[in-house]
Amino acid sequence: IKCLRRPQVELLRRFLEEHGWRISDTCARVQLDVSTGERLLVGQNWQDRVFLFAPEIREEERTSRLLQGMAADLSSNLTPEDRRAVSELIKQTLQCVPDVDMGIPFDDLCASLLEICRSDGNGMHRAAGLPEDGNYGPDIWRMLLEPARLARVCDMRAYMPTARLQLIWLPCQAVQECLRHSKVVEDSRQQWAVCVWNGTNVLLFAATSEVHVTRRSAEDAQATLRWQLNRPRLFLLKRTLEDSIARRVYDFLAPRPARHKDCTGQV
């Protein structure tokens, strides 16, 4: 992996600031964001060298093409030599790496699942195995959250595809003892928390407000619930359509005569 030296980094910094990229120093890196979503991570763990990384969900090299296009912009205040130098630096040193799904808040997922139950569940709760009074206990939530997967906990990325999320009633102290970085206010009372467990080597408790789930798994949980609630309706619609089509085919192949006597002699 090719690196930049400090003088080259200063040239890159001036170039990016000129184009409106926001710079913030955290954890020995510089993260630069633009409105279109591209990000650049500048690793500064070494005193004499710097590494450039572009997190991208798909390997499309969008960030590299964006930066090179900006370097070719004739309206830049940089000299032509500096613009060419920046473009060459980007080509040689920028490394595309897989981006991490930062996820959505666990509380937002739960709220969306409750809204789906309210909007799609009219008359279908029992068929879907849900209580009609809306009083969902841990077992119901375990079923609703089965597709959900952890993305972050306490602002730490923690992608665990094998771990399941469950709601559990715990004292606040249990969460604080498990996660020292938790911002939950110390309290002796109990509260709903998230249990992250894969049945073997992963077991932790976290406040619901400090858990994020992956976007893909949240969409899967929502789609699964909609299917469970609407499956009886779809089955009934399918039967109705099948009966209607069968009746039309029957009437076409063997239409009843205009004047037909049945076995009783009635017309």
Side-chain angles (χ1 to χ4, degrees), residues 2 11 66 69 78 81 98 104-105 155 212 231-232 237 239 251:
K2 294 185 178 181
L11 173 61
L66 172 69
L78 296 178
E81 292 77 10
I104 66 172
D155 293 327
H212 283 63
R231 183 170 52 183
L237 178 62
R239 288 292 302 271
D251 291 344

mmCIF file with all atom_site columns, all heavy atoms in Angstrom, residues 2 11 66 69 78 81 98 104-105 155 212 231-232 237 239 251:
data_model
loop_
_atom_site.group_PDB
_atom_site.id
_atom_site.type_symbol
_atom_site.label_atom_id
_atom_site.label_alt_id
_atom_site.label_comp_id
_atom_site.label_asym_id
_atom_site.label_entity_id
_atom_site.label_seq_id
_atom_site.pdbx_PDB_ins_code
_atom_site.Cartn_x
_atom_site.Cartn_y
_atom_site.Cartn_z
_atom_site.occupancy
_atom_site.B_iso_or_equiv
_atom_site.pdbx_formal_charge
_atom_site.auth_seq_id
_atom_site.auth_comp_id
_atom_site.auth_asym_id
_atom_site.auth_atom_id
_atom_site.pdbx_PDB_model_num
ATOM 1   N N   . LYS A 1 2   ? 0.737   2.091   -0.995  1.00 0.00 ? 2   LYS A N   1
ATOM 2   C CA  . LYS A 1 2   ? 1.545   3.297   -1.079  1.00 0.00 ? 2   LYS A CA  1
ATOM 3   C C   . LYS A 1 2   ? 1.036   4.357   -0.104  1.00 0.00 ? 2   LYS A C   1
ATOM 4   O O   . LYS A 1 2   ? -0.155  4.437   0.167   1.00 0.00 ? 2   LYS A O   1
ATOM 5   C CB  . LYS A 1 2   ? 1.529   3.837   -2.504  1.00 0.00 ? 2   LYS A CB  1
ATOM 6   C CG  . LYS A 1 2   ? 2.214   2.919   -3.506  1.00 0.00 ? 2   LYS A CG  1
ATOM 7   C CD  . LYS A 1 2   ? 2.277   3.556   -4.866  1.00 0.00 ? 2   LYS A CD  1
ATOM 8   C CE  . LYS A 1 2   ? 3.018   2.648   -5.853  1.00 0.00 ? 2   LYS A CE  1
ATOM 9   N NZ  . LYS A 1 2   ? 3.102   3.268   -7.191  1.00 0.00 ? 2   LYS A NZ  1
ATOM 10  N N   . LEU A 1 11  ? -0.676  19.488  0.908   1.00 0.00 ? 11  LEU A N   1
ATOM 11  C CA  . LEU A 1 11  ? -1.194  19.853  -0.408  1.00 0.00 ? 11  LEU A CA  1
ATOM 12  C C   . LEU A 1 11  ? -2.599  19.290  -0.596  1.00 0.00 ? 11  LEU A C   1
ATOM 13  O O   . LEU A 1 11  ? -3.501  19.985  -1.067  1.00 0.00 ? 11  LEU A O   1
ATOM 14  C CB  . LEU A 1 11  ? -0.256  19.331  -1.500  1.00 0.00 ? 11  LEU A CB  1
ATOM 15  C CG  . LEU A 1 11  ? -0.744  19.496  -2.947  1.00 0.00 ? 11  LEU A CG  1
ATOM 16  C CD1 . LEU A 1 11  ? -0.934  20.975  -3.280  1.00 0.00 ? 11  LEU A CD1 1
ATOM 17  C CD2 . LEU A 1 11  ? 0.234   18.832  -3.911  1.00 0.00 ? 11  LEU A CD2 1
ATOM 18  N N   . LEU A 1 66  ? -14.358 11.086  -8.123  1.00 0.00 ? 66  LEU A N   1
ATOM 19  C CA  . LEU A 1 66  ? -14.783 12.415  -7.682  1.00 0.00 ? 66  LEU A CA  1
ATOM 20  C C   . LEU A 1 66  ? -13.571 13.314  -7.431  1.00 0.00 ? 66  LEU A C   1
ATOM 21  O O   . LEU A 1 66  ? -13.522 14.461  -7.885  1.00 0.00 ? 66  LEU A O   1
ATOM 22  C CB  . LEU A 1 66  ? -15.625 12.300  -6.417  1.00 0.00 ? 66  LEU A CB  1
ATOM 23  C CG  . LEU A 1 66  ? -15.977 13.615  -5.719  1.00 0.00 ? 66  LEU A CG  1
ATOM 24  C CD1 . LEU A 1 66  ? -16.945 14.427  -6.564  1.00 0.00 ? 66  LEU A CD1 1
ATOM 25  C CD2 . LEU A 1 66  ? -16.552 13.364  -4.340  1.00 0.00 ? 66  LEU A CD2 1
ATOM 26  N N   . GLY A 1 69  ? -11.779 14.283  -10.612 1.00 0.00 ? 69  GLY A N   1
ATOM 27  C CA  . GLY A 1 69  ? -12.541 15.297  -11.332 1.00 0.00 ? 69  GLY A CA  1
ATOM 28  C C   . GLY A 1 69  ? -12.383 16.669  -10.713 1.00 0.00 ? 69  GLY A C   1
ATOM 29  O O   . GLY A 1 69  ? -12.282 17.682  -11.415 1.00 0.00 ? 69  GLY A O   1
ATOM 30  N N   . LEU A 1 78  ? -5.542  26.316  -6.972  1.00 0.00 ? 78  LEU A N   1
ATOM 31  C CA  . LEU A 1 78  ? -4.236  25.675  -7.020  1.00 0.00 ? 78  LEU A CA  1
ATOM 32  C C   . LEU A 1 78  ? -3.612  25.871  -8.399  1.00 0.00 ? 78  LEU A C   1
ATOM 33  O O   . LEU A 1 78  ? -4.300  25.992  -9.409  1.00 0.00 ? 78  LEU A O   1
ATOM 34  C CB  . LEU A 1 78  ? -4.378  24.167  -6.732  1.00 0.00 ? 78  LEU A CB  1
ATOM 35  C CG  . LEU A 1 78  ? -4.886  23.772  -5.345  1.00 0.00 ? 78  LEU A CG  1
ATOM 36  C CD1 . LEU A 1 78  ? -4.998  22.268  -5.254  1.00 0.00 ? 78  LEU A CD1 1
ATOM 37  C CD2 . LEU A 1 78  ? -3.987  24.310  -4.256  1.00 0.00 ? 78  LEU A CD2 1
ATOM 38  N N   . GLU A 1 81  ? 0.370   22.799  -11.732 1.00 0.00 ? 81  GLU A N   1
ATOM 39  C CA  . GLU A 1 81  ? 1.313   21.788  -11.258 1.00 0.00 ? 81  GLU A CA  1
ATOM 40  C C   . GLU A 1 81  ? 0.782   21.088  -10.008 1.00 0.00 ? 81  GLU A C   1
ATOM 41  O O   . GLU A 1 81  ? 0.870   19.861  -9.873  1.00 0.00 ? 81  GLU A O   1
ATOM 42  C CB  . GLU A 1 81  ? 2.683   22.425  -10.957 1.00 0.00 ? 81  GLU A CB  1
ATOM 43  C CG  . GLU A 1 81  ? 3.431   22.933  -12.184 1.00 0.00 ? 81  GLU A CG  1
ATOM 44  C CD  . GLU A 1 81  ? 2.875   24.262  -12.698 1.00 0.00 ? 81  GLU A CD  1
ATOM 45  O OE1 . GLU A 1 81  ? 2.038   24.869  -11.993 1.00 0.00 ? 81  GLU A OE1 1
ATOM 46  O OE2 . GLU A 1 81  ? 3.283   24.679  -13.793 1.00 0.00 ? 81  GLU A OE2 1
ATOM 47  N N   . PRO A 1 98  ? -13.953 -1.907  1.909   1.00 0.00 ? 98  PRO A N   1
ATOM 48  C CA  . PRO A 1 98  ? -15.395 -2.103  2.135   1.00 0.00 ? 98  PRO A CA  1
ATOM 49  C C   . PRO A 1 98  ? -15.910 -1.183  3.238   1.00 0.00 ? 98  PRO A C   1
ATOM 50  O O   . PRO A 1 98  ? -15.282 -1.045  4.292   1.00 0.00 ? 98  PRO A O   1
ATOM 51  C CB  . PRO A 1 98  ? -15.490 -3.579  2.551   1.00 0.00 ? 98  PRO A CB  1
ATOM 52  C CG  . PRO A 1 98  ? -14.237 -4.203  2.038   1.00 0.00 ? 98  PRO A CG  1
ATOM 53  C CD  . PRO A 1 98  ? -13.189 -3.138  2.107   1.00 0.00 ? 98  PRO A CD  1
ATOM 54  N N   . ILE A 1 104 ? -29.256 1.430   11.789  1.00 0.00 ? 104 ILE A N   1
ATOM 55  C CA  . ILE A 1 104 ? -30.312 2.319   12.261  1.00 0.00 ? 104 ILE A CA  1
ATOM 56  C C   . ILE A 1 104 ? -30.582 2.017   13.728  1.00 0.00 ? 104 ILE A C   1
ATOM 57  O O   . ILE A 1 104 ? -30.313 0.910   14.194  1.00 0.00 ? 104 ILE A O   1
ATOM 58  C CB  . ILE A 1 104 ? -31.605 2.156   11.432  1.00 0.00 ? 104 ILE A CB  1
ATOM 59  C CG1 . ILE A 1 104 ? -32.197 0.757   11.645  1.00 0.00 ? 104 ILE A CG1 1
ATOM 60  C CG2 . ILE A 1 104 ? -31.337 2.401   9.949   1.00 0.00 ? 104 ILE A CG2 1
ATOM 61  C CD1 . ILE A 1 104 ? -33.564 0.593   11.018  1.00 0.00 ? 104 ILE A CD1 1
ATOM 62  N N   . PRO A 1 105 ? -31.102 2.987   14.486  1.00 0.00 ? 105 PRO A N   1
ATOM 63  C CA  . PRO A 1 105 ? -31.344 2.753   15.912  1.00 0.00 ? 105 PRO A CA  1
ATOM 64  C C   . PRO A 1 105 ? -32.301 1.589   16.150  1.00 0.00 ? 105 PRO A C   1
ATOM 65  O O   . PRO A 1 105 ? -33.307 1.431   15.449  1.00 0.00 ? 105 PRO A O   1
ATOM 66  C CB  . PRO A 1 105 ? -31.941 4.080   16.392  1.00 0.00 ? 105 PRO A CB  1
ATOM 67  C CG  . PRO A 1 105 ? -31.433 5.102   15.424  1.00 0.00 ? 105 PRO A CG  1
ATOM 68  C CD  . PRO A 1 105 ? -31.363 4.397   14.100  1.00 0.00 ? 105 PRO A CD  1
ATOM 69  N N   . ASP A 1 155 ? -21.804 3.191   20.284  1.00 0.00 ? 155 ASP A N   1
ATOM 70  C CA  . ASP A 1 155 ? -21.001 3.899   19.280  1.00 0.00 ? 155 ASP A CA  1
ATOM 71  C C   . ASP A 1 155 ? -19.799 3.099   18.799  1.00 0.00 ? 155 ASP A C   1
ATOM 72  O O   . ASP A 1 155 ? -18.900 3.645   18.148  1.00 0.00 ? 155 ASP A O   1
ATOM 73  C CB  . ASP A 1 155 ? -20.526 5.258   19.815  1.00 0.00 ? 155 ASP A CB  1
ATOM 74  C CG  . ASP A 1 155 ? -21.690 6.215   20.020  1.00 0.00 ? 155 ASP A CG  1
ATOM 75  O OD1 . ASP A 1 155 ? -22.669 6.138   19.249  1.00 0.00 ? 155 ASP A OD1 1
ATOM 76  O OD2 . ASP A 1 155 ? -21.624 7.039   20.951  1.00 0.00 ? 155 ASP A OD2 1
ATOM 77  N N   . HIS A 1 212 ? -27.640 -0.275  17.523  1.00 0.00 ? 212 HIS A N   1
ATOM 78  C CA  . HIS A 1 212 ? -28.024 -0.067  16.126  1.00 0.00 ? 212 HIS A CA  1
ATOM 79  C C   . HIS A 1 212 ? -28.034 -1.413  15.419  1.00 0.00 ? 212 HIS A C   1
ATOM 80  O O   . HIS A 1 212 ? -27.176 -2.269  15.689  1.00 0.00 ? 212 HIS A O   1
ATOM 81  C CB  . HIS A 1 212 ? -27.054 0.875   15.412  1.00 0.00 ? 212 HIS A CB  1
ATOM 82  C CG  . HIS A 1 212 ? -27.249 2.323   15.748  1.00 0.00 ? 212 HIS A CG  1
ATOM 83  N ND1 . HIS A 1 212 ? -27.084 2.812   17.024  1.00 0.00 ? 212 HIS A ND1 1
ATOM 84  C CD2 . HIS A 1 212 ? -27.612 3.385   14.976  1.00 0.00 ? 212 HIS A CD2 1
ATOM 85  C CE1 . HIS A 1 212 ? -27.321 4.122   17.028  1.00 0.00 ? 212 HIS A CE1 1
ATOM 86  N NE2 . HIS A 1 212 ? -27.647 4.486   15.803  1.00 0.00 ? 212 HIS A NE2 1
ATOM 87  N N   . ARG A 1 231 ? -50.344 -12.480 4.782   1.00 0.00 ? 231 ARG A N   1
ATOM 88  C CA  . ARG A 1 231 ? -50.430 -13.792 4.134   1.00 0.00 ? 231 ARG A CA  1
ATOM 89  C C   . ARG A 1 231 ? -51.853 -14.323 4.073   1.00 0.00 ? 231 ARG A C   1
ATOM 90  O O   . ARG A 1 231 ? -52.273 -14.821 3.014   1.00 0.00 ? 231 ARG A O   1
ATOM 91  C CB  . ARG A 1 231 ? -49.510 -14.788 4.862   1.00 0.00 ? 231 ARG A CB  1
ATOM 92  C CG  . ARG A 1 231 ? -49.482 -16.165 4.229   1.00 0.00 ? 231 ARG A CG  1
ATOM 93  C CD  . ARG A 1 231 ? -48.391 -17.011 4.847   1.00 0.00 ? 231 ARG A CD  1
ATOM 94  N NE  . ARG A 1 231 ? -48.490 -17.009 6.303   1.00 0.00 ? 231 ARG A NE  1
ATOM 95  C CZ  . ARG A 1 231 ? -47.613 -17.625 7.101   1.00 0.00 ? 231 ARG A CZ  1
ATOM 96  N NH1 . ARG A 1 231 ? -46.564 -18.224 6.569   1.00 0.00 ? 231 ARG A NH1 1
ATOM 97  N NH2 . ARG A 1 231 ? -47.765 -17.599 8.405   1.00 0.00 ? 231 ARG A NH2 1
ATOM 98  N N   . PRO A 1 232 ? -52.658 -14.247 5.161   1.00 0.00 ? 232 PRO A N   1
ATOM 99  C CA  . PRO A 1 232 ? -54.049 -14.720 5.041   1.00 0.00 ? 232 PRO A CA  1
ATOM 100 C C   . PRO A 1 232 ? -54.843 -13.959 3.987   1.00 0.00 ? 232 PRO A C   1
ATOM 101 O O   . PRO A 1 232 ? -55.648 -14.557 3.260   1.00 0.00 ? 232 PRO A O   1
ATOM 102 C CB  . PRO A 1 232 ? -54.615 -14.484 6.444   1.00 0.00 ? 232 PRO A CB  1
ATOM 103 C CG  . PRO A 1 232 ? -53.430 -14.476 7.347   1.00 0.00 ? 232 PRO A CG  1
ATOM 104 C CD  . PRO A 1 232 ? -52.343 -13.844 6.555   1.00 0.00 ? 232 PRO A CD  1
ATOM 105 N N   . LEU A 1 237 ? -57.214 -13.914 -1.373  1.00 0.00 ? 237 LEU A N   1
ATOM 106 C CA  . LEU A 1 237 ? -57.276 -13.301 -2.700  1.00 0.00 ? 237 LEU A CA  1
ATOM 107 C C   . LEU A 1 237 ? -56.909 -14.313 -3.778  1.00 0.00 ? 237 LEU A C   1
ATOM 108 O O   . LEU A 1 237 ? -57.552 -14.362 -4.844  1.00 0.00 ? 237 LEU A O   1
ATOM 109 C CB  . LEU A 1 237 ? -56.334 -12.102 -2.750  1.00 0.00 ? 237 LEU A CB  1
ATOM 110 C CG  . LEU A 1 237 ? -56.233 -11.358 -4.090  1.00 0.00 ? 237 LEU A CG  1
ATOM 111 C CD1 . LEU A 1 237 ? -57.583 -10.782 -4.473  1.00 0.00 ? 237 LEU A CD1 1
ATOM 112 C CD2 . LEU A 1 237 ? -55.192 -10.239 -4.003  1.00 0.00 ? 237 LEU A CD2 1
ATOM 113 N N   . ARG A 1 239 ? -57.280 -17.600 -3.641  1.00 0.00 ? 239 ARG A N   1
ATOM 114 C CA  . ARG A 1 239 ? -58.388 -18.538 -3.794  1.00 0.00 ? 239 ARG A CA  1
ATOM 115 C C   . ARG A 1 239 ? -59.542 -17.907 -4.559  1.00 0.00 ? 239 ARG A C   1
ATOM 116 O O   . ARG A 1 239 ? -60.168 -18.533 -5.420  1.00 0.00 ? 239 ARG A O   1
ATOM 117 C CB  . ARG A 1 239 ? -58.865 -19.011 -2.419  1.00 0.00 ? 239 ARG A CB  1
ATOM 118 C CG  . ARG A 1 239 ? -57.911 -19.954 -1.724  1.00 0.00 ? 239 ARG A CG  1
ATOM 119 C CD  . ARG A 1 239 ? -57.838 -21.292 -2.470  1.00 0.00 ? 239 ARG A CD  1
ATOM 120 N NE  . ARG A 1 239 ? -59.144 -21.903 -2.578  1.00 0.00 ? 239 ARG A NE  1
ATOM 121 C CZ  . ARG A 1 239 ? -59.660 -22.719 -1.664  1.00 0.00 ? 239 ARG A CZ  1
ATOM 122 N NH1 . ARG A 1 239 ? -58.949 -23.000 -0.569  1.00 0.00 ? 239 ARG A NH1 1
ATOM 123 N NH2 . ARG A 1 239 ? -60.849 -23.245 -1.821  1.00 0.00 ? 239 ARG A NH2 1
ATOM 124 N N   . ASP A 1 251 ? -67.605 -21.882 -17.566 1.00 0.00 ? 251 ASP A N   1
ATOM 125 C CA  . ASP A 1 251 ? -68.697 -21.286 -18.327 1.00 0.00 ? 251 ASP A CA  1
ATOM 126 C C   . ASP A 1 251 ? -68.373 -21.209 -19.809 1.00 0.00 ? 251 ASP A C   1
ATOM 127 O O   . ASP A 1 251 ? -69.273 -21.280 -20.670 1.00 0.00 ? 251 ASP A O   1
ATOM 128 C CB  . ASP A 1 251 ? -69.009 -19.888 -17.788 1.00 0.00 ? 251 ASP A CB  1
ATOM 129 C CG  . ASP A 1 251 ? -69.638 -19.929 -16.406 1.00 0.00 ? 251 ASP A CG  1
ATOM 130 O OD1 . ASP A 1 251 ? -70.109 -21.018 -16.010 1.00 0.00 ? 251 ASP A OD1 1
ATOM 131 O OD2 . ASP A 1 251 ? -69.628 -18.889 -15.713 1.00 0.00 ? 251 ASP A OD2 1
#
